[in-house]
């Protein structure tokens, strides 16, 4: 990572800032918070027994995490303009540390859930700050490598989470999943306090309480509605439809208000920039495709290939690790060749791999699954960070907080949509197979039914990948407008254009 200082003329407007210490502080904080998202997944069975709750209740430990982040991230666009980089980062990590301690000592499910919510608040504050800071301190031509480093952490943390938690649970109590995170959180706070510098510009816009309320109800309702559809009663629950309808109406009103007020809480005018709009849609589609594998493959490994949870985690570990390692590589290639050289080939790899994954059966080997999983995640790594960087690069600096908040929010929403969609397809395929089976209770038939549902889900996921490819063909290298264009961006007659591609 380049340790040189920024100078004026590089497009950031920040002088005398050493990038490397700031990036390290952000990476440590991101790794700690993102690792925690999947660290608890394999402990649910133990938690259900010890805390005496059912599966529908224990799922709130995951649903609440996604819900809080979905509600909080849109508001961070406002918070970033009111509080300094150090204040935001340290507050986020201190909240995360408090939540981790509460989880570790929790005597009941209610207290454990409270701890998870506090952790989620910390994570929701941290992610947009991290991306906004990277956009601010790195010039356009070096952002790919920097975003790739962040991508390594974002992908690597969730990848090792289930395997690491399986190792811990084999030897220790579930509380150690939190105890062992505490030193990492403390390290992040101490390092951040020593080396993180303020790089944001505080404009302190007016706080619009109505916008915050509409954002909370809108994004919260949609995330909860889709999350609830992926669990329990599925799409038959009236709660799902009520949350989605209320959330959609609130979201429409929120967007309308942002277009009317002089100082929007979340400036939706970022969608006037065509590459940002295309990349946002592309990332939503890719997140849905990614979630299809994150959800369905563990079920297949345990239900059809009859692997233990820890063994299933080991099968999925190589793909996650390689995906993380590919992110910096993809970032550097992006800086050199631009998005077209990566995104289209990456999407072709994703589509081809999903086509082969449709052929997995109860007789497939773990080696075959590992190979396909690695190939799929290599393809995804060539798409995610390059696509995100392409969209954000076109924005003027004043819109960085809004662009990063919108990107992160849409990824949470698409994650919830992907979960509900592919669980529904998977379950419907299983039910249809078992209805036609001679002996639905036969363990062999149950395995075949699971495979049938999985094949249906991967087929739809492949079609979704084709849609992503069509979108990806329109992406090209972009640069932020110069100062004159940025000043004109507030005028109705201003029409942002994509700068010519530079090879």
């Amino acid at each position: 990572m380049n340790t040189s200082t920024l100078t004026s003329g590089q497009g950031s407007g920040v002088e005398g800032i050493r990038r490397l210490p700031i990036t390290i502080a952000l990476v440590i904080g991101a790794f700690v918070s993102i690792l925690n998202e999947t660290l608890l997944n394999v402990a649910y069975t133990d938690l259900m027994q010890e805390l005496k709750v059912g599966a529908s209740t224990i799922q709130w430990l995951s649903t609440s995490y996604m819900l809080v982040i979905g509600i909080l991230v849109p508001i961070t666009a406002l918070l970033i303009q009111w509080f300094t980089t150090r204040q935001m980062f340290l507050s986020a990590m201190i909240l995360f540390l408090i939540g981790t301690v509460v989880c570790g000592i929790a005597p009941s499910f209610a207290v454990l859930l409270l701890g998870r919510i506090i952790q989620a608040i910390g994570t929701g504050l941290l992610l947009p700050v991290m991306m906004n800071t990277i956009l601010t301190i790195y010039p356009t031509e070096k952002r790919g490598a920097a975003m790739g480093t962040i991508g390594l952490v974002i992908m690597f943390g969730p990848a090792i989470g289930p395997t690491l938690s399986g190792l811990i649970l084999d030897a220790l109590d579930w509380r150690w999943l939190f105890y062992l995170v505490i030193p990492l959180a403390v390290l992040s706070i101490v390092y951040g306090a020593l080396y993180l510098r303020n790089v944001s510009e505080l404009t302190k816009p007016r706080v619009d309480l109505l916008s915050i309320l509409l954002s909370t109800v809108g994004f919260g309702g949609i995330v909860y509605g889709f999350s609830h559809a992926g669990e329990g009663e599925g799409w038959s629950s009236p709660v799902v439809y009520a949350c989605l309808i209320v959330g959609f109406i609130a979201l429409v009103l929120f967007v309308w208000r942002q277009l009317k007020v002089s100082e929007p809480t979340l400036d939706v005018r970022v969608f006037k920039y065509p590459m940002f709009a295309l990349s946002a849609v592309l990332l939503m589609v890719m997140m849905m495709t990614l979630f299809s594998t994150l959800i369905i493959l563990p079920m297949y490994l345990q239900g059809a290939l009859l692997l233990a949870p820890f063994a299933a985690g080991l099968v999925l570990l190589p793909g996650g690790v390689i995906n993380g390692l590919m992110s910096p590589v993809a970032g550097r290639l992006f800086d050199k060749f631009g998005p077209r050289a990566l995104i289209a080939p990456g999407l072709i790899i994703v589509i081809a791999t999903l086509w082969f994954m449709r052929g997995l059966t109860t007789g497939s080997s773990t080696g075959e699954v590992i190979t396909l999983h690695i190939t799929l995640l290599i393809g995804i790594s060539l798409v995610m960070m390059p696509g995100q960087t392409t969209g954000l690069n076109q924005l003027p600096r004043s819109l960085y907080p809004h662009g990063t908040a919108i990107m992160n929010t849409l990824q949470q929403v698409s994650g919830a949509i992907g979960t509900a969609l592919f669980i529904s397809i998977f379950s419907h395929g299983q039910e249809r197979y078992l209805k036609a089976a001679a002996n639905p209770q036969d363990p062999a038939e149950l395995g075949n039914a699971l495979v049938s549902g999985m094949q249906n889900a991967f087929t739809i996921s492949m079609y979704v990948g084709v849609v992503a490819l069509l979108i990806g063909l329109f992406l090209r290298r972009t640069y932020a407008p110069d100062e004159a264009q940025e000043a004109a961006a507030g005028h109705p007659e201003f029409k942002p254009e994509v700068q010519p591609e530079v090879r």
Side-chain angles (χ1 to χ4, degrees):
M1 190 69 64
N2 194 331
T3 60
S4 63
T5 60
L6 291 174
T7 60
S8 59
Q10 287 178 305
S12 71
V14 181
E15 297 183 18
I17 295 294
R18 296 180 65 233
R19 301 178 193 136
L20 184 60
I22 294 175
T23 305
I24 291 174
L26 295 171
V27 164
I28 295 173
F31 177 76
V32 173
S33 59
I34 294 171
L35 169 68
N36 189 74
E37 288 195 41
T38 58
L39 197 61
L40 205 60
N41 288 2
V42 299
Y44 284 166
T45 302
D46 292 346
L47 289 169
M48 287 166 61
Q49 294 174 353
E50 181 163 339
L51 301 177
K52 297 179 175 56
V53 295
S56 59
T57 302
I58 207 72
Q59 285 294 333
W60 270 99
L61 296 178
S62 136
T63 302
S64 64
Y65 209 92
M66 185 180 291
L67 184 61
V68 170
I69 293 175
I71 289 172
L72 188 60
V73 168
I75 303 171
T76 58
L78 176 67
L79 296 176
I80 286 173
Q81 297 173 84
W82 268 88
F83 300 99
T84 67
T85 309
R86 284 170 56 84
Q87 288 172 337
M88 289 287 290
F89 178 85
L90 293 176
S91 297
M93 290 310 303
I94 289 170
L95 281 168
F96 181 84
L97 175 61
I98 292 171
T100 304
V101 172
V102 170
C103 288
I105 63 175
S108 65
F109 174 79
V111 178
L112 179 60
L113 180 61
L114 174 64
R116 287 289 283 176
I117 290 172
I118 297 173
Q119 282 185 319
I121 293 172
T123 303
L125 289 173
L126 177 63
L127 294 179
V129 171
M130 174 179 65
M131 294 184 64
N132 185 68
T133 303
I134 291 296
L135 288 172
T136 302
I137 66 175
Y138 282 90
T140 304
E141 66 273 12
K142 294 183 178 180
R143 281 183 195 154
M147 293 286 278
T149 302
I150 297 297
L152 185 153
V153 176
I154 291 174
M155 298 299 179
F156 189 67
I160 68 169
T163 307
L164 183 61
S165 59
L167 283 170
I168 293 170
L169 291 173
D170 276 351
L172 300 168
D173 181 72
W174 64 266
R175 295 180 187 275
W176 282 92
L177 296 175
F178 300 104
Y179 294 155
L180 294 176
V181 170
I182 291 174
L184 295 175
V186 172
L187 171 64
S188 175
I189 293 169
V190 172
Y191 190 93
L194 291 174
Y195 295 107
L196 193 64
R197 296 292 176 262
N198 296 322
V199 299
S200 58
E201 294 180 357
L202 303 186
T203 57
K204 297 190 176 182
R206 186 174 66 88
V207 177
D208 183 10
L209 294 178
L210 179 58
S211 289
I212 293 175
L213 176 63
L214 290 172
S215 169
T216 301
V217 175
F219 289 111
I222 289 173
V223 170
Y224 179 74
F226 278 110
S227 297
H228 194 72
E231 305 160 2
E233 301 175 57
W235 292 103
S236 62
S237 171
V239 174
V240 171
Y241 293 105
C243 287
L244 291 178
I245 291 170
V246 171
F248 179 77
I249 293 172
L251 195 57
V252 169
L253 292 174
F254 172 75
V255 171
W256 175 79
R257 184 158 181 82
Q258 302 319 293
L259 295 172
K260 293 294 182 183
V261 296
S262 58
E263 295 181 306
T265 301
L266 191 64
D267 198 339
V268 296
R269 294 177 182 87
V270 292
F271 287 103
K272 289 167 59 178
Y273 293 84
M275 291 303 103
F276 178 87
L278 281 173
S279 64
V281 176
L282 173 66
L283 290 175
M284 286 189 70
V285 174
M286 287 307 299
M287 283 296 290
M288 292 172 64
T289 303
L290 178 60
F291 265 72
S292 72
T293 59
L294 290 177
I295 296 162
I296 305 301
L297 269 185
M299 294 182 182
Y300 164 72
L301 291 170
Q302 295 177 61
L305 300 190
L306 305 179
L307 297 182
F310 178 57
L314 287 177
V315 168
L316 299 176
L317 181 61
V321 172
I322 290 175
N323 185 32
L325 296 176
M326 275 293 297
S327 284
V329 176
R332 293 188 181 278
L333 291 173
F334 172 85
D335 287 338
K336 187 173 183 179
F337 299 109
R340 280 183 174 175
L342 298 177
I343 292 176
L347 288 168
I348 291 170
I349 291 172
V350 168
I351 294 166
T353 307
L354 287 169
W355 187 84
F356 282 109
M357 292 176 83
R358 292 168 61 246
L360 292 173
T361 67
T362 53
S364 298
S365 66
T366 54
E368 187 178 353
V369 177
I370 291 171
T371 302
L372 289 173
H373 187 236
I374 288 174
T375 306
L376 179 74
L377 290 183
I378 288 174
I380 288 176
S381 70
L382 295 176
V383 177
M384 292 294 288
M385 277 301 164
Q388 190 162 355
T389 308
T390 297
L392 292 171
N393 272 352
Q394 196 183 14
L395 300 181
R397 188 181 176 194
S398 60
L399 291 179
Y400 287 168
H402 301 276
T404 54
I406 286 172
M407 284 282 194
N408 282 284
T409 301
L410 291 180
Q411 289 184 38
Q412 292 297 322
V413 171
S414 58
I417 293 172
T419 300
L421 174 65
F422 290 108
I423 285 291
S424 299
I425 295 168
F426 175 78
S427 301
H428 179 70
Q430 276 185 305
E431 293 169 3
R432 189 171 57 183
Y433 182 93
L434 290 173
K435 283 180 181 179
N439 183 8
Q441 302 303 318
D442 183 359
E445 291 287 54
L446 291 173
N448 289 331
L450 189 149
V451 167
S452 178
M454 178 193 69
Q455 290 173 343
N456 287 350
F458 284 148
T459 299
I460 300 300
S461 184
M462 183 181 69
Y463 294 146
V464 171
V466 172
V467 173
L469 177 59
L470 295 175
I471 297 170
L473 294 175
F474 291 95
L475 287 179
R476 54 186 181 273
R477 192 193 294 269
T478 57
Y479 298 97
D482 60 24
E483 293 300 322
Q485 287 176 305
E486 184 174 350
H491 297 286
E493 66 272 13
F494 175 71
K495 296 185 183 301
E497 297 179 354
V498 179
Q499 286 71 17
E501 185 167 3
V502 177
R503 290 292 185 186

